[in-house]
Structure formats: structure tokens, C-alpha cells
Amino acid sequence: MPSPYRAIFAAPGTVSFSVAGFLGRMPLSMMGIGIVTMISQVTGRYGLAGALSATLAMSAAVLGPLVSRLVDRHGQRRVLRPVTLVSLAAAAGLLLCVQQKAPDWTLFVFTGVIGCVPSLGAMIRARWAEIYRGEERRLHTAYSWESIVDEVCFIFGPILSIGLSTAWFPEAGPLFAGAFLAVGAFWLTSQRATEPVPHPQRGTRGASALRSRGLQVLTLAFVATGAIFGSVDVVTVAFAEEQGHKAAASLVLAVYALGSGVAGAVFGLLHLKGEPSRRWLLGICAMAVSMIPLLLAGNLPLLAVALFVAGLSIAPTMVTTMALVEAHVPRTKLTEGMTWTGTGLAIGVALGSSAAGWVVDASGAEAGYVVPVVSGALAVAVGLLGHRRLRRPAPNREGQRERDDSGVGERQDGGQPVA
């Protein structure tokens, strides 16, 4: 491991919570695609599969920020354990309904409740921020490391989920996703030494982190970005099936994540200067342009190459986003702020996977790649219109007071002192 990455793990407990976070985030890449594979295996209805995946994403989008706000107020251990148990119970109900061929509405009910699953990625990043607050370079490396972990999850998650559901039994993918969630969440919450200090609600602190204008731009742009991810997943599974190699979809999607992971690893070694908002906008534009070649891929090998190139812009954009969230959101609401970007992605995944499912049913898999192309264009439009809000954090007295009290006088994005 290169020295900048070794350095961040010098702090006690960092290895353990990072590994726990890796296990707990595997369902992020396994559950949605696992539901799509399971339903398509059992019913052959991609429209229903996409709608259920969209329901899961939309539920997580609604419930995720609420869970994270409770975490900021009461601590990770007190909140994550009960909501994890609820999510696991709902997943068990969904698998039972599929096995027993229950009515469609029961599938939507249980899928919706699964969405209360906690955003472990935000929880882990909040721990890094607590440890390396004020140390811009180490925090940049830590966020890059977590982006690599995210992409490793997206490399192996679909392979496991699709592979288990196609080679063993249809419910196997979601079943193992639940097992990873249980181990990761309970192991993480057993590590109290690195848990961020909760901030009970006092006065105006109960207001949502989404009041930040910069966070609004990031979240809205990530809605369009999430539509890219959700539609690519659904269409790629359908495209692989049309080519007669459905199980190969997991390998193709793994290549997509591999491109992002490679870029994230290199990005974490760099010490970049200049405005993060400009790097973020460049990343959004690169993601949008990289979707166009997917329309021209006529076979799985070409599609894999196109997706690898497309993945190169993902992790750097995500890392820059976390730096911008820190600059625009008070410390007492950092977990919620990070979760809102995930909420934007989840809403986008819901819209993108649903739209892609219907397009595939109506016109075939190749036509489905129009959905990520349009989604990319929308992300660029949001980025261009909202870029000025990201160039400098909006005045925030609560955030200012927290920086003064902690003795930190520099912005976390490397800009000029704010105090």
C-alpha cells in the first residue's frame, strides 16, 4: 500500500472500522441488482424487477437522511442496531413472498421497508472526519480510500449477487446481502472508541442540513448521476441476457467499478490545488460524455471496455463531493449531509432503473442505453447552473461558531480561512 494510504491507518481503530464498513456496504451493490436478478429469474418481468429496485432506492432516499440525522443526535450505536434489524426483517419477508409467489403488492411493501438500511458509507466517512479534522491531505486520502472500498464493493457485489442467484437459487443474492449487512453494522457499532461524538438537538440545530444551498446543488446533481448508475445496471443485465450470457453481466458491471477504483486509487495519491468545485464540475461532464459510447457497443467485450473508461471519472468526482459537503455543512450535521448526497443517488437510481426497465421491455436492451445518456446530460445542466453556489460555502453562523470553538480556522476544501 502506498505511503499516503499507510499513513491514514496509523490512528488506532481505523483498520477495524474500515473493514467493518466494507462488509456493511456490500449490500449497496448486491441488494438492488440481486432483486432485479431474482425477480427476472422467477417471473421474467423486467418492468417489475426495475420497479422493485426503484422502490428500494426511493425508500432509502426518504429514510436514509432521517436515520443519519438521528445518528448525529444520538450516536451510531444507539441508532444503527435497531434500524438494521428492521431492514433485515423486511428482507426476510421479501424473500419469503417471492418464494411463496405472493401478490406483487406484498413485494413492494417489504422492499420499501428494507430502505431503512443505514448509510454505512456516511458513517465511516464521519469517523475519518472526526479523526483527521483540519488535516486536509490525510482526509483527502481517507476519502479516496473509502471510494476505492466503494468500488471494490461494486466489483465483487454484483458478481456475488448475480452469480449466486443464477447458479444456486434466485433468492441467494439478496440473502447474502442481508448477511453482509448484519455482520458489518454490528461489528462497526461495537467499536466505540472511534465513534463520533453525538450532538443532541439544541435550538436551531434541529434544522436539516439540506438548508445549505451548496448541498442542494450536490444532491440534485447526484439525482441525475444516480439515474446513470441505476439504468446502466438494469440495461446491462438485459443486454447480457439478449446476448445469451446473462451471468456475464456481473463481470461487465465489475469492470465498470474497476475503472472507478483504479482512478480513485491514483486520485488519493495526488495533492491537487485549485477549487474543488471546478474539479467536481469537470468530473460530472466526464461522466456524461462517457455514456455516449455505450450506444455503439454491439457486444459484451466492447461494452466492458466502454464501461471501464466510463468508470474512470466516478471515484474522483465522489471524493471531491465529500470535500465539498464538508465545506458546506456544519460539523454537527456532517453524517446527515453526506447521506443527502447518497439520497440524491438513491432517488436517481430509482428513476433510472425504473425508466430503463420500461424501455428495455418496450424497445430492447440496446435502446435502454439512451437512459444513462439523457441522465448524464441532465447532470451537466445542474452542475453548470449551480456551480457558483459551490465555489464558496454560504455563510453559516452555526458552522462558523463550531469552527471557532474547535480552533480550526481553515476550510476543509483547502480554501482561504473562514475565521
Side-chain angles (χ1 to χ4, degrees), residues 305-380:
V305 172
L307 285 175
F308 177 83
V309 174
L312 295 175
S313 59
I314 296 175
T317 305
M318 298 299 180
V319 173
T320 306
T321 299
M322 292 302 105
L324 290 172
V325 170
E326 255 210 310
H328 286 266
V329 175
R331 183 177 62 185
T332 57
K333 301 173 184 175
L334 184 58
T335 306
E336 182 192 350
M338 291 180 174
T339 303
W340 272 113
T341 59
T343 291
L345 284 174
I347 293 174
V349 167
L351 298 175
S353 60
S354 182
W358 293 115
V359 171
V360 168
D361 282 346
S363 304
E366 289 192 40
Y369 283 115
V370 172
V371 178
V373 171
V374 173
S375 302
L378 292 175
V380 171

Side-chain angles (χ1 to χ4, degrees), residues 179-207:
F180 277 117
L181 173 62
V183 174
F186 279 84
W187 186 12
L188 176 65
T189 52
S190 69
Q191 301 175 43
R192 305 299 298 275
T194 55
E195 181 178 349
V197 177
H199 300 275
Q201 179 180 346
R202 294 192 300 269
T204 60
R205 292 175 184 256

Side-chain angles (χ1 to χ4, degrees), residues 193-266:
T194 55
E195 181 178 349
V197 177
H199 300 275
Q201 179 180 346
R202 294 192 300 269
T204 60
R205 292 175 184 256
S208 172
L210 198 59
R211 294 180 63 182
S212 164
R213 298 178 69 190
L215 184 59
Q216 292 169 8
V217 173
L218 294 172
T219 302
L220 187 58
F222 268 36
V223 171
T225 303
I228 294 175
F229 301 155
S231 57
V232 166
D233 281 355
V234 172
V235 178
T236 298
V237 173
F239 184 81
E241 185 176 29
E242 286 187 0
Q243 297 289 311
H245 303 284
K246 185 175 182 180
S250 60
L251 298 177
V252 175
L253 292 174
V255 170
Y256 187 28
L258 178 62
S260 178
V262 169
V266 175

Side-chain angles (χ1 to χ4, degrees), residues 47-59:
L48 175 61
L52 286 172
S53 179
T55 299
L56 174 64
M58 190 65 70
S59 174

